[in-house]
Structure formats: C-alpha cells, structure tokens
C-alpha cells in the first residue's frame, strides 16, 4: 500500500502527548493567575462601590449611640467621638491611602480586614468566619445536589426527547426556572412551613436547643436546612435540567453519535460513552458559571429563613453602612465562588482532552 | 448469483408537521457480492438519505416510508434490514453491515481515545481485550496507519488520518457489506487517491462488498465496478462503469460525465441549472426542466426504469419501446 505523509504525521501525534502534559500544567498556571487577578479586582470594586453609597456610617453610628444613651451630647463631644471612630476604622485618611492600607493589612496582616461596626469591637474576619459555614453549607450542598439531580434528569429527558413524560418535564422545569428564588422560598415557607406544618421554616435550629453534638440538635439542624436548600435546589436544579437536556439533544445530533449507533453498540453504551460523556463537559462549565450567579439567591434565602449566614450579616452591615463588614462578606463570597470555579476549571482537562490545545 | 443486497421500492422522506415529503422515491437496486457499486449524483439528490435509510440510521425529521432491503449472508440467511427489529439489526452491524457516514471528520468522539472507539464494538461482540486490540491494529495497517495511533485523541489527527481511522474501524470485523458515504470529499486530491486505493485493496483482501456514495464521477471512475446514477431521489441509470462512461444513456448521466473537470482544466459543457430540492421535485420526468432532450411526454409521465441489455437499466422516455408506449 502507499506510503504517505499522514502516516509520518502519526509520530508527532504520539509525541504530542508529552507536550500535552506540559500544556495542562501551563493551563493550570494561567488559570491560577486569572483567579488571583479576579480576586483583586473584586476587592477593589467592592472597596470603592460601598464608599459611594450615600450615608455616612459615622452619623448612623452616632444616631444609634444617642438613642441608646437617651441624651444629647454637645457638638464638640460628638466631633471627638466621630474623630476617634474615624481613626479606629482608618477613615481619617484620603481614600487612595485607605485603599492601600486596606490591601496591605488584608494581605500582609494575616487577613486583617478591620473591626466591624455591627458588632464592634469584633473583627470582621471573625464575624465572617462565624457566619460562613451556614452560607457555604447551604449553598454548596444545594448547588451540588441540584447539579447532580438536574444533570441526571436532563440527560434522561434529553435522551427520551419525544416521549410525553419528557415533554411534561420540560414544561415544569421551564416554569420553575423562571420563578424567582424568593417566590419559591416564600411558597415553601407558607405551605410547607405554616399551612401544613410539615417542616420547620425559620431559624437555624429549634429555639430551645444549644449547638452541641447531640442527635436532637443535629436532626433539628438538618430538618431546618431542608426548606432553605430545597428553595435553592428547585430553581437551580430546573436550570441544570433544561441545560443538560439541551446539551444532550445537541450531542444526539452529532456525527459521532450516528457512527456509534452504526457500530451496533448497546443503547446504554451509546448513552453513557457517547452522549452523556460529551454533554457532561459543557454541563460542568455550567456548574462553574451557576456557582457565581446563584450565591445572591442564597443570601435572600438566608434572610427569608432567618439563618445566621453571610447574607443576613450583609443586610445588617448595610443598615449601618459598615464598609468593613460589607467588604469582608463580598471578599469571602467572591473567594468561595472563585475557588469553586477554579476547582471546576481545573477538573475540565480531565474530562476534555481538547482543552490542552484550545486553552 | 443472487444479489447480496436487494433494495426494493425504498421510499424515505422528511417529516413535517403535516405531511412527509419524499426525498428518495421508490428506489430499486441490487448489489452483487464482492463488487464496488458507486452511487453518484449531484449534492442534495438524496444519496445520504438513501444510505442512512438502508443502514436504518435516519434521524428526525428523516423517516422511512416504505420498501425493503434484503441482505443475504451465509448462503441461506436473508434479513430485511428495513423491517428487522432494532436488536436483531444490532447483531448484524459491524459484523456484516458497516457504515462510514458522510462527515467522517466528526464521526469520532472527541473525548475518547482512538483505541476505545475502535475496540468498544468488538468487545461487545465477545472479543477479548487482546483480540480486539489486535484486530484494531491489523485494521489500521490496512489503511497505512501505525498502531501507536491508538493512543491518540481525534483532535491530534489530521483529516486524512481521521478518515482512515473511521475506515479501519468500519472494516475491523471484516464486514460483508460496507456503505461508505462521501469518504473523500473533504480531503486533498493526493489523500483522496490513496484512500480510494486502500479501500479497493480492502475489498480484495477481505472480500467485502462496498457501496461507495459520491457526488464525484472521478471517484466512481477510479474505484467502482458498477454505477447507479441518482437524480432528485430516483435511480435514473444503472450499468457497469465502462458502459456508463463509454456510452451514457440517460441525459443526466451524459451531463455528469461531460462536467468532469478535464486535465486541460477547462470545464466542458456542464449541467445547466440546479438540482431541485425535495419540496419541488418536478412532475413527469424529474429531470425535464434541465434536460436538453426533453420532449412532449417527459413533462407529464414519469419514465419507468427499463432494462437496456444485460445489467443495464435506464429511466428515460428516449428509450421507451414504441410498442409499449400508449401515447
Ligand atoms: N435532516 C434533514 N433536514 C432537512 N432536510 C434534509 C435533511 N436530510 C436531508 N435533507 C434534504 O434532503 C435532500 C437530500 O439530502 P441528502 O440525502 O443529504 O443528499 P445528498 O447526500 O445526495 O447530498 C436535500 O435537499 C436536503 O436538504
Ligand atoms: S425522460 Fe425526457 S426529460 Fe427525462 S431525461 Fe429522458 S428525455 Fe430528458
Ligand atoms: Mg450526502
């Protein structure tokens, strides 16, 4: 048979695999650079945005103080108090210098994000650390569960695209997906929480309990977590279902699927190795995107269900124009989202050999 | 000798909300064991629809309307591919019935290694891992590819290599019949020629029967034993390659041959006009709006396929026996 140029090109294909590993490393490195840059950009934007919101935190603080003490002070005393607070919160300096100091302390001072107003003199860092498990627990669990359920369900209704049941599932998912998360949460609170009293719909755990390692407390914690997580899951899960369905349908039209069928593979293998396997890649990317887009929904859910997470902390801080706390919440949320996204992105080359080339 | 594949009255179309528009109408075609049959016609005339219909791989909105395609293997066993259960058909695939679909550039799954894609079907047919990979390597050899390619991902291969991998996969079980749709279309001329040579060698070595589908008369001339010329969803002429090239009977065949690019570069009188889409196949002879020899009855009556000597068929009123015509 003929010797040909293509056969020699085969050697370079095999050599390319060593280069492929190097490219994956470079991809990871580049991806990490993007991660750091995004983190910095987010802090910077948060720093300036909150300072542009009208309302001087000092006046609000002073008003609260006055109300608490029940008497007026003279102007000079007020001036002195304000000056003292400005110094404590590092607000006596020009804005650019404040910004530089903030970054310096955050990076070099072991995440010193300043004291909070909401719970002065508690450090914002400690406040955030205390609240974060609630948010991350609910958010991560519900997004991951929603992704798993949505991916499975979407794959199934995409595969059975013309069946009645599948079409019904599409209609339901579409309705759920366009419903705002707070409506779903309110619906669950009203019906399941109060009208039918099936599950608790407010607070982190039963009022009479203390956090401790007892079955009673843990089960109370878990039952209280069901409705908040369900609110998040319903809306996000519906989106994941529709997304996966669309991906499956487009993959089912690919030439390699026809070829897989032509090979006489069992339908299950075609579904698993050719359709699902390929639709999964953009679905994982979708997870990374959704992670960023749905954190605010979790904040709303926390407020509605009265959970002591970052969302409720943020609302409290906003009332006081507590820049330090607001920034810290934003910083940690962005950090959490970016980290999850980074993990997803770094996992992608494992799923998709082409990323080594295109990244 | 009985035909290996006997296609009878195959009609397939496109399903719309209301009706089915036939794309391929009433195709009758025999394929002899061991031959390479070329199916040729302009782009859009329904060749791929015909191939996918035989393979039972039509995808919505394509639908099979009627017909049979009887495959005879192992002396006495005959299977009607168009009416076989999905499961029984699956047993025939790859072992007896291989398909190289159009668009082979994208026929490999981008996320699986070549080895996996060449062996998964073999493993499901009970071969051991060793046997499957030996067969894959042997098949790659048939298309001048090295065994080390098994470790590659499709995107690491050139277009020509991918096409070869697909061919290798399709012949790895030494199938009885191979349907190959436009396998050289996206390739440069040199690679085209090599791949066709390899395919012809595969036929000789494995004793396979091949239906090669192409819009390119040059491909037919290079590799086929017999030709079926297709126009607007119908087979208009069938004959041996030498007969068709030396003395094409149907005016469409004559036009196709006349428009083969010559060495000198100038295209001689090609086919004027455009092939109709399935939604406006003309009445009467479907070729009549473009036919230089059109006459009265062509516009109203569709010509039936008539034998013209041994193994020669044509569907054109020019060859109607006067006694048989009633107008
Ligand atoms: N899935 C499809 N959707 C819409 N039109 C199609 C589809 N498949 C084929 N057709 C139409 O049917 C006709 C024949 O197509 P095809 O069988 O691919 O022709 P060929 O392979 O000869 O180029 C064309 O007009 C094409 O547009
Ligand atoms: S039947 Fe008439 S129109 Fe059709 S090809 Fe023959 S001569 Fe031309
Ligand atoms: Mg085609």
């Amino acid at each position: 048979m003929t010797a040909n140029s293509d056969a020699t090109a085969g050697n370079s294909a095999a050599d390319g695999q060593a280069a492929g590993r190097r490219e994956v490393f470079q991809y990871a490195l580049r991806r990490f650079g993007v991660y750091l840059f995004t983190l910095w950009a987010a802090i910077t934007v948060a720093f300036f945005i909150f300072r542009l919101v009208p309302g001087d935190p000092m006046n609000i603080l002073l008003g609260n103080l006055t109300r608490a003490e029940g008497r007026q002070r003279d102007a000079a005393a007020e001036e002195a108090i304000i000056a003292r607070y400005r110094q404590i919160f590092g607000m006596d300096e020009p804005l650019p210098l404040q910004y530089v100091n903030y970054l310096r302390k955050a990076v070099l001072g072991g995440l010193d994000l300043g004291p909070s107003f909401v719970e002065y003199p508690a450090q914002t860092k400690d406040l955030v650390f205390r609240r974060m498990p609630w948010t991350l627990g609910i958010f991560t669990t519900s997004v991951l569960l929603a992704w798993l359920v949505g991916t499975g369900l979407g794959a199934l209704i995409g595969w059975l695209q013309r069946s009645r049941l599948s079409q019904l599932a599409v209609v339901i998912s579409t309705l759920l997906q366009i419903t705002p998360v707070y409506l779903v949460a309110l619906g669950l609170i009203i019906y399941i929480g109060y009208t039918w009293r099936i599950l608790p719909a407010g607070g982190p755990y039963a009022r009479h309990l203390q956090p401790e390692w007892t079955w009673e407390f843990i089960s109370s914690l878990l039952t209280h977590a069901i409705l908040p997580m369900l609110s998040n899951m319903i809306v996000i899960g519906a989106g994941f279902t529709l997304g996966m369905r669309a991906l499956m349908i487009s993959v089912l039209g690919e030439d390699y699927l026809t070829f897989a069928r032509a090979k006489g593979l069992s339908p299950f293998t075609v579904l698993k190795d050719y359709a699902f396997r390929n639709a999964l890649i953009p679905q994982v990317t979708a997870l990374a995107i959704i992670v960023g887009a749905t954190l605010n929904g979790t904040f709303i859910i926390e407020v509605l269900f009265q959970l002591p997470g970052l969302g409720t902390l943020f609302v409290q801080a906003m009332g006081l124009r507590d820049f330090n706390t607001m920034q810290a919440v934003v910083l940690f949320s962005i950090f959490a989202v970016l980290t999850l996204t980074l993990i997803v992105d770094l996992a992608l080359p494992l799923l998709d050999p082409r990323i080594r080339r295109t990244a | 000798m009985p035909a290996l594949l006997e296609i009878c009255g195959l009609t397939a179309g496109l399903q719309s909300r209301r009706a089915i528009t036939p794309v391929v109408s009433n195709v009758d075609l025999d394929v002899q064991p061991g031959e390479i049959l070329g199916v040729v016609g302009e782009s859009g005339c329904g060749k791929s629809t015909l191939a996918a219909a035989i393979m039972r791989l039509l995808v919505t909105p394509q639908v099979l309307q009627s017909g049979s395609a009887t495959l005879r293997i192992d002396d006495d066993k005959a299977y009607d591919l168009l009416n076989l259960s999905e499961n029984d058909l699956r047993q025939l695939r790859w072992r007896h019935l291989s398909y190289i679909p159009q668009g082979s550039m994208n026929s490999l799954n981008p996320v699986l290694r070549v080895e996996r894609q060449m062996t998964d079907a073999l493993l499901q047919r009970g071969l051991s891992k060793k046997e499957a990979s030996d067969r894959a390597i042997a098949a790659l050899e048939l298309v001048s590819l090295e065994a080390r390619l098994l470790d590659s991902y499709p995107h690491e291969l050139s277009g020509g290599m991918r096409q070869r991998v697909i061919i290798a996969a399709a012949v790895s079980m030494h199938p009885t019949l191979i349907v190959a749709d436009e396998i050289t279309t996206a390739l440069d001329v040199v690679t085209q020629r090599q791949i066709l040579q390899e395919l012809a060698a595969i036929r000789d070595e494995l004793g396979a029967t091949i239906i090669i589908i192409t819009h390119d008369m040059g491909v037919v001339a290079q590799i086929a034993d017999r030709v079926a010329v297709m126009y607007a969803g119908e087979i208009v002429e069938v004959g041996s390659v030498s007969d068709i090239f030396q003395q094409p009977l149907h005016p469409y065949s004559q036009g196709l041959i006349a428009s083969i690019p010559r060495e000198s570069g100038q295209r001689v009188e090609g086919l004027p006009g455009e092939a109709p889409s399935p939604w406006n196949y003309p009445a009467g002879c479907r070729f009549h709006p473009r036919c230089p020899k059109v006459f009265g009855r062509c516009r109203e009556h569709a010509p039936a396929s008539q034998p013209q000597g041994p193994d020669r068929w044509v569907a054109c009123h020019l060859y109607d026996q006067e006694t048989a015509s009633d107008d």
Side-chain angles (χ1 to χ4, degrees), chain A residues 79-338:
Chain A
E79 280 302 315
I81 293 171
I82 289 180
R84 176 88 187 97
Y85 270 121
R86 281 198 197 283
Q87 200 192 343
I88 292 172
F89 292 110
M91 288 164 63
D92 50 349
E93 283 157 338
L95 205 55
L97 199 60
Q98 285 182 37
Y99 170 69
V100 172
N101 280 337
Y102 183 77
L103 279 190
R104 187 173 48 81
K105 281 189 191 160
V107 176
L108 302 177
L111 269 182
D112 177 4
L113 301 177
S116 69
F117 302 178
V118 255
E119 288 187 27
Y120 183 78
Q123 286 288 309
T124 47
K125 180 176 66 174
D126 300 332
L127 270 187
V128 166
F129 277 158
R130 212 163 63 221
R131 304 286 197 107
M132 192 145 69
W134 291 101
T135 304
L136 279 192
I138 290 187
F139 175 67
T140 319
T141 319
S142 55
V143 169
L144 285 182
L145 279 178
W147 188 82
L148 286 176
V149 173
T151 301
L153 209 61
L156 202 66
I157 65 179
W159 180 253
L160 308 171
Q161 54 179 299
R162 262 157 296 154
S163 77
R164 275 282 147 76
L165 206 63
S166 174
Q167 285 167 350
L168 183 71
V170 170
V171 173
I172 294 174
S173 314
T174 309
L175 286 177
L176 287 177
Q177 194 209 13
I178 58 174
T179 313
V181 67
Y182 60 86
L183 279 188
V184 175
L186 284 176
L188 290 178
I189 290 174
I190 291 169
Y191 288 102
I192 300 196
Y194 290 100
T195 311
W196 299 324
R197 297 194 168 277
I198 299 169
L199 283 166
Y205 41 80
R207 248 178 253 282
H208 64 279
L209 295 174
Q210 288 289 332
E212 53 190 351
W213 287 109
T214 61
W215 172 240
E216 195 190 7
F217 174 75
I218 292 171
S219 68
S220 172
L221 193 72
L222 291 179
T223 46
H224 279 75
I226 292 178
L227 285 189
M229 298 214 307
L230 205 59
S231 319
N232 222 10
M233 274 184 67
I234 286 173
V235 177
I236 302 175
F240 280 137
T241 305
L242 291 176
M244 186 63 180
R245 172 184 168 270
L247 290 170
M248 279 296 276
I249 288 175
S250 90
V251 167
L252 290 180
E254 294 283 348
D255 290 334
Y256 54 77
L257 222 94
T258 306
F259 194 59
R261 288 206 176 100
K263 287 197 273 190
L265 291 170
S266 71
F268 179 71
T269 307
V270 175
L271 170 63
K272 177 173 73 75
D273 288 353
Y274 290 82
F276 184 75
R277 178 75 173 68
N278 289 66
L280 197 59
I281 294 166
Q283 179 75 352
V284 168
T285 313
L287 173 62
I289 294 166
I290 294 296
V291 158
T294 51
L295 188 61
N296 56 352
T298 309
F299 282 5
I300 295 171
I301 288 173
E302 280 175 12
V303 175
L304 289 176
F305 285 92
Q306 305 146 44
L307 300 173
L310 289 180
T312 33
L313 177 63
F314 190 81
V315 171
Q316 280 173 292
M318 190 113 100
L320 282 179
R321 302 291 184 281
D322 181 347
F323 300 144
N324 281 353
T325 304
M326 289 197 282
Q327 277 159 214
V329 170
V330 168
L331 182 60
F332 277 87
S333 323
I334 301 262
F335 171 76
V337 168
L338 286 180

Side-chain angles (χ1 to χ4, degrees), chain A residues 353-357, chain B residues 110 153-158 162:
Chain A
R354 289 164 299 179
I355 286 201
R356 299 162 195 184
R357 282 290 166 87
Chain B
Y153 285 101
H155 71 265
E156 296 167 336
L157 309 178
S158 71
R162 257 180 275 176

Side-chain angles (χ1 to χ4, degrees), chain B residues 14 23-24 41-50 59-62 102 181-182 213 276-279 281:
Chain B
L14 292 165
V23 173
V24 171
E42 285 162 298
S43 203
C45 72
K47 304 180 299 291
S48 295
T49 307
L50 175 63
V59 287
T60 31
Q62 301 171 319
Q102 183 168 359
D181 193 355
E182 304 278 12
I213 288 171
S277 77
W279 295 272
Y281 283 159

Side-chain angles (χ1 to χ4, degrees), chain A residues 1-2 4 6-7 10-11 17 255-256 259 261-266 269 273-274 278 281 353-354, chain B residues 90 93-94 99 103 106-107 109 111 116-117 120 124-125 142 144 148 151 153 155 158 161 164 194 197:
Chain A
M1 237 163 273
T2 50
N4 59 72
D6 272 344
N11 306 349
Q17 275 161 16
D255 290 334
Y256 54 77
F259 194 59
R261 288 206 176 100
K263 287 197 273 190
L265 291 170
S266 71
T269 307
D273 288 353
Y274 290 82
N278 289 66
I281 294 166
R354 289 164 299 179
Chain B
R90 210 147 61 68
R93 291 190 191 281
W94 239 225
Y99 182 41
N106 306 313
S107 285
N109 186 339
V111 304
R116 172 89 167 266
Q117 301 191 58
D120 54 3
Q124 285 200 353
R125 282 174 177 72
L142 289 174
S144 332
R148 64 158 81 185
D151 286 333
Y153 285 101
H155 71 265
S158 71
M161 286 157 86
R164 286 186 162 95
Q194 288 167 350
Q197 280 167 1

